[in-house]
């Protein structure tokens, strides 16, 4: 089976699985391929843009990834405490609060896609998705593969409200 990025007459983009390109063409001609959004059967393959040359776009895309908790790294949280005269703990606390606020702001601008992060980040990168940015969970291997394709994926710290 091959996955094709498809596009309906109304401009919706979605994916479809077919045995071959001919299989898709045949089904589309007979009106058997309908848009996942509106049911339109005027469906054609969407152009796949190569990764090369889309670097500028990749940088405009804010793809965010939360490291999947519990996988291979069972790290304890490092904590710091110092004598009251030392200001650096206070400074780190301020920066940490600012970072958390940045993470919240980025999440607001992005769509949560959960464990489908790697797939969705590729769709955004290659112009196959309407989304401007996505965040979700990915393994280290998936993040490494994305970086090798030139897709930006930034690990994000967990927020206190994530525990709920
Ligand atoms: Zn449609």
């Amino acid at each position: 089976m091959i996955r094709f990025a498809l596009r309906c007459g109304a401009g919706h983009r979605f994916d479809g699985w077919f045995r071959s390109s001919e299989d898709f063409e045949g089904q589309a001609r007979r009106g058997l391929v309908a848009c996942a959004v509106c049911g339109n059967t005027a469906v054609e393959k969407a152009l796949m843009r190569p990764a090369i040359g889309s670097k500028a776009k990749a940088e405009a895309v804010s793809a965010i990834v939360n490291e999947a908790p519990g996988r291979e790294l069972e790290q304890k949280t490092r904590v710091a405490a110092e004598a009251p005269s030392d200001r650096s703990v206070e400074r780190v606390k301020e920066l940490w609060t600012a970072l958390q606020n940045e993470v919240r702001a980025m999440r607001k601008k992005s769509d949560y896609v959960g464990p489908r992060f790697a797939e969705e980040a590729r769709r955004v990168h290659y112009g196959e998705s309407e989304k401007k940015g996505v965040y979700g969970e990915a393994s280290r291997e998936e993040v490494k593969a994305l970086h090798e394709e030139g897709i930006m994926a930034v690990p994000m710290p967990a927020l206190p409200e994530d525990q709920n």
Side-chain angles (χ1 to χ4, degrees):
M1 300 291 275
I2 312 165
R3 189 178 69 178
F4 291 122
L6 305 173
R7 185 187 175 142
C8 85
H12 298 125
R13 288 163 176 272
F14 56 100
D15 293 334
W17 291 88
F18 300 90
R19 277 192 299 277
S20 64
S21 191
E22 294 72 34
D23 179 39
F24 164 74
E25 301 293 347
Q27 290 198 42
R29 251 201 315 277
R30 283 179 287 150
L32 298 176
V33 186
C35 169
V37 181
C38 69
N40 192 329
T41 53
V43 171
E44 58 180 20
K45 273 190 262 179
L47 286 180
M48 292 293 285
R49 271 176 241 158
I52 299 156
S54 60
K55 193 166 185 292
K57 184 166 190 298
E59 273 160 8
V61 168
S62 64
I64 312 166
V65 55
N66 291 318
E67 291 215 48
R71 266 194 250 166
E72 86 222 12
L73 67 159
E74 277 280 293
Q75 283 182 351
K76 288 211 172 98
T77 306
R78 287 209 184 97
V79 291
E82 288 178 0
S85 59
D86 198 312
R87 307 297 299 160
S88 59
V89 165
E90 198 58 40
R91 181 79 189 120
V92 168
K93 206 177 134 199
E94 282 169 24
L95 289 169
W96 177 235
T97 304
L99 176 62
Q100 287 182 325
N101 288 334
E102 280 301 322
V103 170
R104 284 189 191 99
M106 280 185 93
R107 284 189 186 181
K108 264 195 194 132
K109 288 188 289 184
S110 307
D111 288 324
Y112 181 67
V113 295
R116 290 181 297 112
F117 174 80
E119 189 193 331
E120 290 293 332
R122 281 192 180 89
R123 284 167 51 78
V124 171
H125 179 80
Y126 293 116
E128 298 301 329
S129 170
E130 313 280 338
K131 297 176 177 32
K132 286 195 173 64
V134 293
Y135 72 99
E137 282 86 42
S139 69
R140 290 190 159 186
E141 286 75 15
E142 287 172 327
V143 171
K144 197 162 163 263
L146 288 171
H147 285 173
E148 280 164 6
E149 283 182 55
I151 301 171
M152 189 178 72
V154 186
M156 306 288 286
L159 296 173
E161 57 263 38
D162 289 347
Q163 307 305 317
N164 300 324

